[in-house]
Amino acid sequence: MSDEKTELEGPDLARGVALSTLVDGAMLLGHVQSEAVILVRRGAELFAIGATCTHYNGPLAEGLLVDDTVRCPWHHACFSLRTGEALRAPALNPVSCWRVEQRDGSAFVREKRARAPRRSAAAPGMPRSVVIVGGGAAGNAAAEMLRREGYAGRLTMLSADESPPYDRPNLSKNYLAGSAPEDWIALRSPGFYREHDIDLQLGVRVAAIDTRSRQVETADGGRHAYDALLLATGAEPLRLTLPGGDLPHVHYLRSFADSRALVAAVLAAKQAVVIGASFIGLEVAASLRARNIAVRVVGREACPMEKILGTEVGNFLRRLHEEHGVIFHLGTTPTAIDARSVTLANGEQIPADLVVIGVGVRPAIALAEQAGLAVDRGVTVDEYLETSVPGIFAAGDIARWPDELTGERIRVEHWVVAERQGQTAARNIMGRRERFDAVPFFWTEQYDFGLAYVGHAERFDTAEIDGRLDARDCTITFRRGDRKLAIAVVHRDLEGLKAEVEFEWAIASNLQSAAASAKPSMQT
Ligand SMILES: Cc1cc2nc3c(=O)[nH]c(=O)nc-3n(C[C@H](O)[C@H](O)[C@H](O)COP(=O)(O)OP(=O)(O)OC[C@H]3O[C@@H](n4cnc5c(N)ncnc54)[C@H](O)[C@@H]3O)c2cc1C
Ligand code: FES
């Protein structure tokens, strides 16, 4: 992640570029005044949009053109070349869009185009009121998309969290490491929800859903009627029950409040034990090392992340952490915690004045169960993200949906998936009947190492590495039998984007829809 603006490179596009030098289907990075801009030629059409992704400032010129869109190389946000609109999360804001004039064999980037005003999408059958339960990735993305698409009815978002929607992935990374200030964490400014007429109610826990009267009941006895309901309650950390597990220096990490409490504890800590050697545990370990705290990681597995990323990547991650001074205690579990140490099942006693537990999460499906919705290790939804009760949708960490790529029902715990599901659910609440067919994507950052993963391989037979992991330049392909299920890339962003498009083609052809299976053109 970087908060630096893309440096101004390339020609001044306002002064004109010879059309003969513009390669069809390629991006030219230049600038207009002080803003980085990409100029794109597609056949007879010319487009100019801002070159800096509105998520974390990724360089769009290094991304992938797919039809009349460009995808960001870092976390795969997608922008329209025609309007600059952020078509797919994780970017939520558009980039600027410029008018291009062709004259005397040259292209000139002129003034910025004004944004089209929001149109109200009132129509018969549109719900008069929507209630969203959950103010996380999926809930927030859904609320924003409803308004962006012109939904004009009553919109209420009830969140048990005391903080307005925030960038949860950052909590174990830059924020915990001390390199991201507090004001980076909120997804929106305080006035945003008011301006968009979203009634965001914080610290409000929904306790029950009455599907017959179409009302939700909050823990404090409040009632909210809905025509359409979105459940986006996310997941809760698994708690370890062991002696000392509730001591004040033992932390879990899910919410902004958790992360703040951890940051406060870190200031006084010298020796941390992280229990759990998966994403959260390893990201926390890296962030604590950035603060110069001694870190030991305890994990049940013999090789960290092996189940998700394979043995070679797992061993690489272990070495990476060891090079940064982390000590691993693998193949064992904690049996007790006291004020100064953690006792392990293998008899070892390791020093700790701070303990962070990250041993997985469970989807928060109690509400759905209470309401009698179909559940199966998550809330069961169809391809439109609608639950077994019409008018009630579910998105994010709780949703188990039919994945068109594998033909299986899957549930994943990824930020981008949750946001994209929220966006799709919003459009379906408005009656669009849009399938959720996005390819799962996640990323992790540990020290200066980053990995992006596209697809979904809950189980795989082989993890084949092309390139060199130690040189941090490789693609890892996960296969079950001879079927490619997912890839992970290290410093090969474009390959990650191309894989996403390939998986989309596979989904489209699985759906056997003539329109959907027409391959879009893809150019770098
Ligand atoms: C520290 C951390 C780092 C992560 N890093 C990454 C990463 O790098 N990449 C990645 O892809 N994913 C990452 N994830 C996972 C990602 O954040 C989740 O997949 C994503 O937040 C799920 O979105 P969601 O909307 O389903 O749930 P959440 O974002 O968890 O939101 C759920 C919301 O529902 C509210 N809620 C729950 N029950 C109720 C109720 N009964 N009434 C009212 N409100 C309720 C909660 O308070 C919360 O606001 C990370 C997660 C954590 C915790
Ligand atoms: S920086 Fe572009 S998607 Fe994250």
Side-chain angles (χ1 to χ4, degrees), residues 407-483:
E408 295 168 4
R409 293 189 152 275
I410 62 171
R411 187 183 70 74
V412 301
E413 293 155 4
H414 306 335
W415 180 258
V416 174
V417 173
E419 287 195 320
R420 290 183 179 177
Q421 287 192 342
Q423 295 181 327
T424 299
R427 290 190 281 260
N428 288 336
I429 282 171
M430 294 174 71
R432 297 282 169 78
R433 302 294 282 172
E434 181 184 297
R435 281 174 185 275
F436 179 74
D437 56 8
V439 178
F441 170 86
F442 75 79
W443 78 101
T444 182
E445 284 162 27
Q446 297 166 36
Y447 311 103
D448 57 350
F449 174 79
L451 173 144
Y453 182 105
V454 184
H456 183 70
E458 212 156 294
R459 287 168 290 114
F460 56 88
D461 301 322
T462 55
E464 190 187 300
I465 299 185
D466 171 55
R468 284 184 49 210
L469 198 48
D470 54 2
R472 302 190 183 190
D473 172 22
C474 66
T475 305
I476 306 129
T477 304
F478 301 89
R479 287 197 175 83
R480 197 184 312 151
D482 56 4
R483 194 156 172 210

Side-chain angles (χ1 to χ4, degrees), residues 56-122:
Y56 283 176
N57 298 334
L60 294 182
E62 293 169 26
L64 186 68
L65 290 175
V66 182
D67 294 334
D68 57 356
T69 68
V70 59
R71 299 191 188 190
C72 177
W74 287 0
H75 315 106
H76 296 200
C78 175
F79 296 90
S80 165
L81 291 174
R82 296 185 186 280
T83 62
E85 189 186 353
L87 298 172
R88 296 189 198 182
L92 299 174
N93 290 325
V95 288
S96 54
C97 184
W98 308 70
R99 185 174 72 82
V100 188
E101 187 185 338
Q102 294 189 39
R103 190 164 44 85
D104 304 332
S106 291
F108 299 85
V109 176
R110 300 301 195 197
E111 74 283 353
K112 269 187 197 174
R113 289 182 191 279
R115 300 231 165 280
R118 270 192 288 147
R119 277 172 297 125
S120 166

